[in-house]
């Protein structure tokens, strides 16, 4: 693992310390878990986006047929 240095406002750092203590974890573990979640969500989004774009390129078979002429409908 690698170390990262962050610059935070004192008030934000105080809030983060409280949050980490409430969850029974360290600030480092709290941030690492949240960053992992962000990366995982991004990968999931990208996979879904690629699948959706592939489906759009393939198109959907709507079984559309051109409408019949007026004469065919009324058999004149």
């Amino acid at each position: 693992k690698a170390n990262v240095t962050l610059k935070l406002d004192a008030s934000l750092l105080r809030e983060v310390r409280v949050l980490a203590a409430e969850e029974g974890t360290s600030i480092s573990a709290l941030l690492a878990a949240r960053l992992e979640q962000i990366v995982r969500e991004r990968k999931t989004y990208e996979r879904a986006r690629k699948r959706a774009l592939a489906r759009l390129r393939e198109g959907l078979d709507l079984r559309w047929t051109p409408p019949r002429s007026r004469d065919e409908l009324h058999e004149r």
Side-chain angles (χ1 to χ4, degrees):
K1 294 190 177 196
N3 290 327
V4 176
T5 302
L6 296 173
K7 291 185 179 186
L8 302 173
D9 290 331
S11 61
L12 176 59
L13 181 57
R14 202 170 21 259
E15 293 290 329
V16 171
R17 282 184 178 144
V18 170
L19 180 63
E22 287 174 351
E23 295 192 15
T25 189
S26 66
I27 294 173
S28 179
L30 186 73
L31 291 173
R34 180 63 179 122
L35 290 171
E36 286 173 8
Q37 179 186 4
I38 291 169
V39 169
R40 194 171 40 253
E41 288 172 359
R42 173 99 182 201
K43 285 181 181 178
T44 302
Y45 169 80
E46 287 299 324
R47 279 194 303 264
R49 181 178 172 274
K50 286 179 183 178
R51 281 194 313 267
L53 290 174
R55 287 184 190 137
L56 286 174
R57 278 190 292 277
E58 292 170 8
L60 297 174
D61 181 13
L62 300 176
R63 298 188 183 114
W64 181 83
T65 57
R68 295 185 292 180
S69 70
R70 184 171 188 255
D71 292 335
E72 288 175 330
L73 288 173
H74 298 287
E75 295 186 29
R76 295 185 178 185

